[in-house]
Amino acid sequence: MTEKNKTYEGINMKESLLTDHDVYLFKEGSHFQLYEKLGSHIVTFSNEKGVYFAVWAPNAEKVSVIGDFNNWNKESHHLRAREDSSGIWEGFVPGIGEGAIYRYHIRSRYNNYRVDKRDPFAFYGEIPPDSASIVRDLAYAWGDQAWMKERSGKNNINAPLSVYELHLGSWRRVPEAGNRFLNYREMAQYLAAYVKEMGFTHIELLPVMEHPFYGSWGYQVTGFFSPTGRYGTPQDFMYLVDYLHQNGIGVILDWVPSHFPSDEHGLVYFDGTHLYEHADPRQGFHPDWTSYIFNYGRNEVQNFLVSNALFWLDKYHIDGLRVDAVASMLYLDYSRKEGEWIPNKYGGRENIEAVSFLKKCNETIYHFYPDVQTIAEESTAWPMVSRPTYVGGLGFGMKWNMGWMHDTLEYFSIDPIYRKYHMNQITFSILYAFTENFVLPLSHDEVVHGKGSLLYRMPGDEWQKFANLRLLFGYMFGHPGKKLLFMGGEFGQTKEWDHEESLSWHLLQYPIHKGMQEWVKDLNRFYKTEPVLYEIDFEYHGFEWIDFHDMDSNIISFLRKGKTAKDQILVVCNFTPVPRYNYRIGVPYGGFWKEVLNSDAKHYNGSGHGNLGGAEASPLPSHGRYYSLALTLPPLGILFLKREMDEK
């Protein structure tokens, strides 16, 4: 054997995991389990165990796999190009297995471009700043069979959904050990106990996919199929999900198909051409994030992204994907000035290819996993985001209500003296509340970049800030729509969120912060036990105004209604720091209305204004109703009242 032939002896050039049908689907753009075929897989060929590698690089002249097993020799393990015009390079390396560290060395046909790339389909990788891929088997013995069997009811749009959003690296740290992160397995114990105690139904994790820059919070992804190694292995992350499921808690992941970073080892300029991104920067480069935009019109890119979505649902039992930055995908002129974007073929600003991709992705997800949810972070008035594709929608299960979030936080930031001039900001959301399946988010984006914490966005002295925040949370739970709260808000975090630090858990030693936490806990408990507050969240007949005209007093009142006529809850909000006595509110029925929640109760460190357990409805007409209640409305407070039904 010549020296030249010896350089190839480590690769078996014949074995493959790809069938002709796989290649057909790949070219067609409908291969949605590509993670089973591309990447690195521990296999046995001809009674010899090793690793099969496959990578898409159609414009490469040569591709080799380099790693710790060959001293990173670019000439020792060349892959072969398939002869079916798929652009896939593949090969089998015997004698290596789990834990092997590797990259693909790619020599392009163009401009003598040579680069070492991370495997786009790698299941695991080195901890940043190191960036190589690691061969990993994803075998795991799951124990969440009960959850998986029942989760269609837990994730249903007619079920209670109260989401605790968090960032794994800064929820809780270990100060005694150099302020280190909790690992996935440590996190499982602490997080499940806390979320269960607080009463949230689901958690939502800022992206866990591997990202080189920790300060991106996970939104600049290089390892789309790899949970970040900062907190442990893939099996460690599976353990976290599994443990949460066994404690009755669903898991939603933030997913970023909108862009990817410019790191050389990532997807950008992958084979010496703009393979994953558009070549024209007016379509392929994102000015806000200095990142690259996927070419959604390319079938192979659609395969990559849809397969990635299904991968997390399949291998990690994830219950939902919150899709980041959907607005940036929908509009060709998003964050661009005139002349910086290219109209579509009809001359419009809509990104037709991205729209088609989103529909295809949602259809595929719900076909294979009808018991999960996809949730769009979409900030514009694009119609029917959370409506099925067969009626012209984008096919998402739900959509973040960004308008509600912005209007509500702006209203709450106003000194109560002036709120009467801005009441439309707190009432306007009902005009469109049922046009989509909305989630009401108070998310991480609202406590960063100089905005301050939710608590310190409230006006007034310390007592008023806390009262305002309790009122805000109560209003969110009373308003139609599912709920989402970013970590720290539930106990009145005082500092703006800092991804380099733990939450300020020490604040819970103070009664006013503990009271806030108890309020959120009771809101969750009440919410989950009252179907009126969630079972017809997305339909007009689940809500009815009592009064939204009392601008001078800054008071609104409304009913949340259930499936039966008498199944109703009265919600009353006083947005001023002045208690109101004998304030009359019309109600649909007589009888005793029990005060079931009061944000001003002493238990929550409030001032204690209330109605001594409730009030009897008098046959005095008010607000167009035959009965009414004379209530004491607490300052900067919210009341939830429920009519006690006659026992028969």
Side-chain angles (χ1 to χ4, degrees), residues 546 559 566 570 583-593 615-630 643 646:
I546 298 291
L559 294 168
K566 293 188 177 182
L570 172 65
Y583 189 91
R584 192 160 294 279
I585 295 177
V587 290
Y589 302 105
F592 186 77
W593 288 72
E616 188 77 26
S618 304
L620 297 175
S622 183
H623 298 112
R625 291 162 177 82
Y626 291 114
Y627 297 92
S628 61
L629 300 170
R643 179 174 174 267
D646 297 330

Side-chain angles (χ1 to χ4, degrees), residues 147-197:
W147 170 269
M148 296 297 285
K149 184 178 179 180
E150 300 170 0
R151 75 172 181 173
S152 60
K154 305 287 188 181
N155 297 333
N156 194 279
I157 62 171
N158 297 319
L161 188 76
S162 180
V163 181
Y164 187 60
E165 185 192 32
L166 71 144
H167 175 250
L168 284 173
S170 56
W171 180 69
R172 188 186 293 270
R173 291 200 178 188
V174 186
E176 301 83 5
N179 200 37
R180 72 166 176 83
F181 304 130
L182 292 179
N183 62 44
Y184 291 124
R185 289 179 182 264
E186 292 171 325
M187 178 75 68
Q189 317 298 318
Y190 288 113
L191 186 59
Y194 184 72
V195 172
K196 197 170 183 178
E197 178 192 3

Side-chain angles (χ1 to χ4, degrees), residues 337-621:
K337 299 174 184 176
E338 187 175 349
E340 296 179 347
W341 59 284
I342 303 174
N344 63 36
K345 62 183 179 181
Y346 303 109
R349 57 196 283 256
E350 299 80 14
N351 189 334
I352 296 172
E353 294 171 342
V355 170
S356 177
F357 159 72
L358 287 169
K359 290 181 176 181
K360 182 178 188 176
C361 188
N362 281 317
E363 287 172 350
T364 306
I365 287 171
Y366 283 113
H367 172 76
F368 288 103
Y369 299 96
D371 54 354
V372 305
Q373 291 293 342
T374 61
I375 305 166
E377 187 217 12
E378 203 287 307
S379 55
T380 75
W382 188 283
M384 299 197 296
V385 171
S386 58
R387 297 293 180 261
T389 58
Y390 60 78
V391 297
L394 291 182
F396 286 94
M398 300 182 202
K399 170 184 171 176
W400 273 21
N401 193 337
M402 310 293 279
W404 174 88
M405 180 177 70
H406 292 142
D407 286 351
T408 299
L409 288 176
E410 186 173 337
Y411 176 82
F412 268 87
S413 70
I414 298 169
D415 189 302
I417 295 174
Y418 305 109
R419 284 179 177 172
K420 65 181 179 180
Y421 304 112
H422 303 272
M423 284 288 283
N424 63 304
Q425 285 185 288
I426 208 71
T427 60
F428 176 67
S429 58
I430 296 300
L431 290 177
Y432 63 86
F434 310 105
T435 60
E436 300 276 6
N437 299 338
F438 280 124
V439 176
L440 308 179
L442 292 172
S443 75
H444 66 278
D445 281 328
E446 302 313 305
V447 292
V448 290
H449 303 317
K451 294 178 182 177
S453 67
L454 283 182
L455 179 67
Y456 278 12
R457 293 180 70 172
M458 303 294 110
D461 58 21
E462 182 184 63
W463 188 91
Q464 290 186 0
K465 289 182 187 299
F466 277 89
N468 267 304
L469 190 57
R470 291 194 301 271
L471 173 55
L472 169 61
F473 292 157
Y475 170 68
M476 176 175 72
F477 274 82
H479 192 287
K482 308 309 180 185
K483 326 299 177 187
L484 179 140
L485 179 61
F486 185 59
M487 64 182 196
E490 77 277 9
F491 60 80
Q493 172 92 1
T494 53
K495 294 194 303 182
E496 183 176 274
W497 172 50
D498 183 348
H499 60 270
E500 296 286 2
E501 297 182 5
S502 170
L503 294 182
S504 303
W505 295 103
H506 66 278
L507 293 174
L508 287 169
Q509 66 184 300
Y510 303 109
I512 199 164
H513 289 276
K514 185 64 176 175
M516 180 69 70
Q517 188 189 52
E518 290 298 314
W519 171 240
V520 173
K521 189 185 302 183
D522 285 352
L523 282 171
N524 272 322
R525 173 195 55 77
F526 182 63
Y527 171 65
K528 291 190 298 184
T529 56
E530 292 294 339
V532 167
L533 295 175
Y534 62 76
E535 64 182 356
I536 47 176
D537 241 348
F538 306 134
E539 301 175 42
Y540 285 98
H541 60 275
F543 176 92
E544 182 181 337
W545 280 116
I546 298 291
D547 184 24
F548 59 91
H549 297 296
D550 192 354
M551 298 180 183
D552 287 336
S553 299
N554 277 329
I555 294 169
I556 62 171
S557 52
F558 55 87
L559 294 168
R560 291 299 308 275
K561 301 162 70 175
K563 293 182 177 180
T564 60
K566 293 188 177 182
D567 193 8
Q568 302 185 7
I569 287 175
L570 172 65
V571 183
V572 187
C573 302
N574 177 11
F575 295 108
T576 71
V578 180
R580 308 288 179 177
Y581 301 102
N582 293 313
Y583 189 91
R584 192 160 294 279
I585 295 177
V587 290
Y589 302 105
F592 186 77
W593 288 72
K594 182 180 180 181
E595 185 179 88
V596 287
L597 277 180
N598 178 347
S599 67
D600 195 47
K602 293 280 190 180
H603 180 59
Y604 311 124
N605 218 62
S607 65
H609 286 83
N611 296 277
L612 301 176
E616 188 77 26
S618 304
L620 297 175

Side-chain angles (χ1 to χ4, degrees), residues 56-57 59 104 106 108 113-120 212 220-224 259-281 284-286 289-295 298 301 304:
W56 179 54
N59 299 297
Y104 295 121
I106 296 175
S108 178
Y113 179 78
R114 302 182 183 205
V115 69
D116 295 341
K117 288 289 188 181
R118 179 191 178 97
D119 186 346
Q220 296 277 11
V221 179
T222 51
F224 280 82
H259 64 114
F260 57 89
S262 59
D263 299 74
E264 185 181 65
H265 64 270
L267 296 178
V268 65
Y269 211 56
F270 191 79
D271 61 358
T273 68
H274 297 284
L275 191 62
Y276 286 89
E277 71 274 14
H278 280 279
D280 192 319
F285 186 75
H286 202 296
W289 304 314
T290 60
S291 56
Y292 289 85
I293 300 170
F294 284 102
N295 183 348
R298 179 165 279 170
V301 173
F304 176 79

Side-chain angles (χ1 to χ4, degrees), residues 32-49:
F32 303 134
Q33 283 85 33
L34 270 183
Y35 51 88
E36 303 282 10
K37 303 291 182 173
L38 300 187
S40 59
H41 299 274
I42 302 168
V43 295
T44 299
F45 286 141
S46 302
N47 296 319
E48 196 165 20
K49 190 172 182 180

